[in-house]
Amino acid sequence: MTLVATASRPSLPAALAAGSTLPVAIIVLITIVIWYAAAVPMNKVLTQPLIDAAGGGLLNTLSISWSLPRPVLPAPHQVLAELWNTVFTVEPWRPRSLLYHCWVTLSSTLLGFVLGTILGVALAIAIIHVKALNRSLLPWIIASQTIPILAIAPMIIVVLGSIGLTGLLPKSLISMYLCFFPVTIGMVKGLTSPDPMQLDLMRTYNASTSQVLWKLRWPSAVPFLFTSLKVAIAIALVGAIVAELPTGAQAGIGARLLNGSYYGQTQQIWGALVAAAVMSSGLVWLVGFIERRVARAMGAET
Amino acid sequence: MIAALHRNPLAVIATLAVSGALLWLMAHLVTVKPGVLFWISVLVLWALVWIGNDALSGISTLSPVATRFRNLAVPAIFGLTLLLLWQLVVKGFGISPVFLPAPSDIWVRFSTSFATLKADFIQTFLRAVLAGWAIGSLAGFLVAILCDAWGFLRRGLLPLGNLFAALPIVGVAPIMVMWFGFDWQSKAAVVVIMTFFPMLVNAVTGLEASGHLERDLMRSYGASYFDTLIKLRLPAAMPFIFNALKINSTLALIGAIVAEFFGTPIVGMGFRISTEVARFSLDMVWAEIAVAAIAGSAFYGLIARKQGERGDVQHEEISDGRGGDRGIDGWNGLGLCRGGDDPAQMGDAGPVCRLLRG
């Protein structure tokens, strides 16, 4: 048995090619090469006079195209340098630090995510227990999502600001509004996922509604909950970023994007984008990590 | 009383009609600071509508046509009641229109500023959204075909596609404005990027959806790759492709509006929303939101209907958990699909709703 397994194990390069590591690496590499190459023609408007002044030549062209202070398309290493400068060379509590802005966005994301999850779960529990809510509220919840809520973000921020509500909470409310929907839908499905046989068994035990909820429905809904949470946390971040746009852009990833856009600070925009991407995938990974731990604790097959 | 209502559809409809009409009348006549009696009667009428609606949803002895009508009517009554209460509360308590305008004010603004709204709609929806949606979806589809033909590309691109689908892509808006200028082209570019990955991920999954048996049959017919693709695998992929088109329709509208916050010519729905908010004329903002909601729902509904005409019964089954192998590790048979099928943004809970209705 062991022998067969050893014999049939492919060599390392073959294993890499069969999996997705090597293909992903190659495609990322190709993207970087194209990125560097594209920086030359895209920055041409800005670089042409400089190149002419330097006497032309390929080497001059490349070095000038890849080191502009405000390029149309910054080269990858310029983005990395921007990240290095704004993350590691400034104290994290200074407004110049990217970490400071990340934290501003992250805190409202997380608050909104928690509030949205609580609201979503509460709504789902109400919906499955009250028949009238099921028919009248659920379609309305779905209809509420046809409104492009991100478009209302500026209005909510301004309106709440006019009644003295500023800072973290208005942004979190937008994240919450975006979050609760996938959680409600997922949980309604999850809480109704036990089959009639299991529900009948609970009835023969003379279980109360709350016992059915906590001992049968809730455990069956946990996988649905986590799938919804992964979706929810990603859009909570988008909500927080967009909510930062109309606040006069003092702090946060959205503010970095808007400021960069106003003052033509391309590298700042790219740095903020990378930070947003890292936070987004990190948060989704974190929820996935907790999901795996919970799954193991609940005895799911992995 | 409720039990009696359940047995008598006519009584239900009469209750709803009378209490609804009275509520409507009160919403029309309401003045600032009405007495306690007024609010009590509002609550009573609301309760009556609620009970009527509940009874309506509980009637089980209806013909199929009437049932379909009923399933539309219940949420519609709920929505209308909410609008009436909104009107009553805003007018009755004299809430400042700077905080929340009444539906009637929004309607007045909608009809008087129709020309502006139309221009914004043309700029944002007909130009940026439709162009971006079509180009992005088409590009995603073509790359999916390439991925399908070349496994290496699929293994390399799909994990990246899944990663990108979860990223806040709308953040590229300032870069696109810098590259493509202030007009609708930059918004269309944002929409292209936003819609590309959901289509890629869904179409690749869809192209794998045809069964081994069917593929073997095609092979035994001596069918070429293109024959198999066109006659078997594309039709099997259609539910997934339509799903992506629907997701993209909502993503496109959001993307275009948000992208306009980063700079536009002086027209466009996102531009109007951000400037009118700054001037505190919220009735115009709500009118714009109404346009966006109607346009978005109509766009979504149109695609869903095209899908319905194709008779894709598979769709429900798929979004009900056939995506179980995608992103749900360790759990058995999970509902919501991950990886681009972002139910929050796609608003695609139709199957869930139908499931719940039984």
Side-chain angles (χ1 to χ4, degrees):
Chain A
M1 204 54 204
T2 330
L3 248 177
V4 173
T6 322
S8 65
R9 179 181 291 167
S11 63
L12 189 65
L16 282 177
S20 57
T21 322
L22 188 69
V24 169
I26 287 178
I27 282 176
V28 169
L29 207 68
I30 292 172
T31 312
I32 292 173
V33 170
I34 293 175
W35 188 344
Y36 268 112
V40 177
M42 287 196 69
N43 292 330
K44 204 167 177 106
V45 199
L46 302 168
T47 54
Q48 200 57 57
L50 296 170
I51 294 169
D52 289 342
L58 184 67
L59 213 64
N60 277 333
T61 309
L62 293 185
S63 70
I64 291 170
S65 300
W66 293 342
S67 61
L68 282 171
R70 287 180 185 187
V72 176
L73 175 65
H77 71 264
Q78 286 181 289
V79 177
L80 284 181
E82 161 79 12
L83 283 173
W84 178 267
N85 288 336
T86 50
V87 172
F88 294 106
T89 63
V90 220
E91 294 98 330
W93 55 88
R94 293 281 168 81
R96 269 198 67 237
S97 166
L98 191 58
L99 288 179
Y100 167 76
H101 295 280
C102 280
W103 169 246
V104 169
T105 303
L106 189 66
S107 54
S108 66
T109 303
L110 291 177
L111 181 61
F113 173 70
V114 169
L115 293 177
T117 305
I118 293 170
L119 177 65
V121 171
L123 275 176
I125 290 177
I127 283 170
I128 63 153
H129 286 112
V130 185
K131 201 176 176 189
L133 285 181
N134 179 10
R135 277 186 206 280
S136 55
L137 194 57
L138 196 62
W140 192 248
I141 288 173
I142 291 159
S144 79
Q145 301 291 319
T146 60
I147 297 174
I149 187 65
L150 286 171
I152 315 186
M155 186 179 66
I156 295 170
I157 298 293
V158 170
V159 163
L160 292 179
S162 74
I163 56 164
L165 212 56
T166 50
L168 195 64
L169 200 62
K171 289 194 284 172
S172 307
L173 287 178
I174 286 162
S175 293
M176 181 185 91
Y177 194 98
L178 287 165
C179 266
F180 90 90
F181 178 72
V183 175
T184 305
I185 296 302
M187 283 306 279
V188 165
K189 250 187 108 176
L191 291 169
T192 50
S193 66
D195 57 51
M197 200 93 114
Q198 294 166 319
L199 287 168
D200 279 348
L201 184 64
M202 292 304 269
R203 205 170 306 136
T204 62
Y205 289 160
N206 195 23
S208 68
T209 311
S210 74
Q211 280 172 324
V212 175
L213 177 65
W214 293 116
K215 294 194 192 299
L216 175 62
R217 291 186 187 275
W218 182 262
S220 339
V222 168
F224 291 79
L225 176 66
F226 274 106
T227 310
S228 300
L229 289 185
K230 278 191 260 184
V231 174
I233 201 148
I235 45 169
L237 183 66
V238 179
I241 291 174
V242 174
E244 279 159 1
L245 297 179
T247 49
Q250 295 107 354
I253 296 292
R256 288 289 274 196
L257 288 172
L258 200 62
N259 270 332
S261 167
Y262 280 163
Y263 301 112
Q265 295 286 356
T266 335
Q267 298 181 37
Q268 184 180 322
I269 299 177
W270 282 89
L273 263 184
V274 174
V278 169
M279 282 206 302
S280 173
S281 34
L283 287 171
V284 174
W285 176 86
L286 189 69
V287 175
F289 177 76
I290 297 170
E291 178 190 18
R292 283 191 295 279
R293 298 303 287 272
V294 172
R296 211 172 305 149
M298 286 174 65
E301 293 163 27
T302 44
Chain B
M1 179 185 139
I2 296 170
L5 275 177
H6 270 292
R7 283 192 298 274
N8 195 344
L10 270 179
V12 172
I13 293 166
T15 313
L16 278 172
V18 171
S19 51
L22 282 174
L23 208 58
W24 181 276
L25 198 66
M26 292 180 82
H28 263 280
L29 297 177
V30 63
T31 48
V32 182
K33 303 262 185 283
V36 181
L37 209 65
F38 181 87
W39 290 117
I40 290 174
S41 43
V42 166
L43 285 177
V44 168
L45 286 174
W46 184 21
L48 275 175
V49 175
W50 184 277
I51 291 167
N53 213 13
D54 187 27
L56 190 64
S57 75
I59 297 172
S60 50
T61 53
L62 285 174
S63 66
V65 181
T67 308
R68 262 185 75 183
F69 182 75
R70 192 267 312 272
N71 287 350
L72 285 176
V74 169
I77 291 168
F78 181 82
L80 278 175
T81 318
L82 214 63
L83 279 180
L84 286 177
L85 288 174
W86 176 359
Q87 177 81 19
L88 279 162
V89 167
V90 168
K91 290 294 177 190
F93 286 106
I95 292 173
S96 156
V98 172
F99 186 69
L100 185 68
S104 60
D105 296 341
I106 298 167
W107 172 248
V108 168
R109 192 60 192 251
F110 186 92
S111 37
T112 50
S113 310
F114 190 73
T116 315
L117 290 167
K118 195 175 149 196
D120 291 341
F121 175 75
I122 290 169
Q123 170 77 9
T124 303
F125 194 84
L126 296 186
R127 292 193 179 130
V129 171
L130 284 186
W133 174 80
I135 297 170
S137 301
L138 188 67
F141 175 71
L142 292 178
V143 174
I145 299 267
L146 282 181
C147 280
D148 178 65
W150 195 27
F152 184 83
L153 194 64
R154 189 186 65 227
R155 289 200 303 275
L157 216 50
L158 217 53
L160 292 177
N162 274 318
L163 178 72
F164 269 84
L167 296 186
I169 294 180
V170 75
V172 299
I175 295 168
M176 292 301 132
V177 169
M178 205 173 278
W179 289 359
F180 295 101
F182 280 111
D183 212 347
W184 62 270
Q185 289 88 346
S186 58
K187 283 79 208 172
V190 174
V191 174
V192 166
I193 299 175
M194 284 182 86
T195 52
F196 175 80
F197 292 103
M199 178 53 96
L200 173 69
V201 173
N202 273 286
V204 167
T205 315
L207 286 170
E208 290 167 358
S210 57
H212 280 287
L213 222 54
E214 288 96 332
R215 274 189 244 185
D216 281 347
L217 183 65
M218 290 304 270
R219 206 171 306 135
S220 70
Y221 287 160
S224 69
Y225 168 78
F226 281 103
D227 280 335
T228 315
L229 187 69
I230 288 167
K231 300 219 163 98
L232 170 66
R233 303 180 58 215
L234 275 181
M238 274 306 163
F240 289 86
I241 290 167
F242 267 101
N243 216 9
L245 287 177
K246 284 194 288 185
I247 299 164
N248 283 349
S249 71
T250 13
L251 279 181
L253 190 59
I254 294 170
I257 290 178
V258 174
E260 285 185 2
F261 295 160
F262 287 97
T264 40
I266 50 164
V267 64
M269 294 162 83
F271 164 80
R272 194 74 55 204
I273 288 173
S274 52
T275 48
E276 297 294 330
V277 161
R279 293 171 51 204
F280 282 98
S281 54
L282 291 195
D283 46 354
M284 187 63 183
V285 177
W286 277 101
E288 204 72 68
I289 289 165
V291 173
I294 294 166
S297 312
F299 191 20
Y300 187 94
L302 208 67
I303 301 166
R305 199 165 154 184
K306 281 270 167 247
Q307 181 179 25
E309 280 167 16
R310 290 184 29 86
D312 283 330
V313 281
Q314 250 185 321
H315 168 70
E316 270 184 57
E317 200 185 326
I318 286 150
S319 38
D320 278 348
R322 277 272 298 278
D325 55 320
R326 285 190 289 152
I328 303 140
D329 4 309
W331 304 103
N332 294 328
L334 215 307
L336 300 159
C337 303
R338 276 263 310 134
D341 318 10
D342 185 340
Q345 291 180 344
M346 70 195 196
D348 181 20
V352 181
C353 241
R354 264 169 271 150
L355 192 84
L356 290 167
R357 292 218 186 91

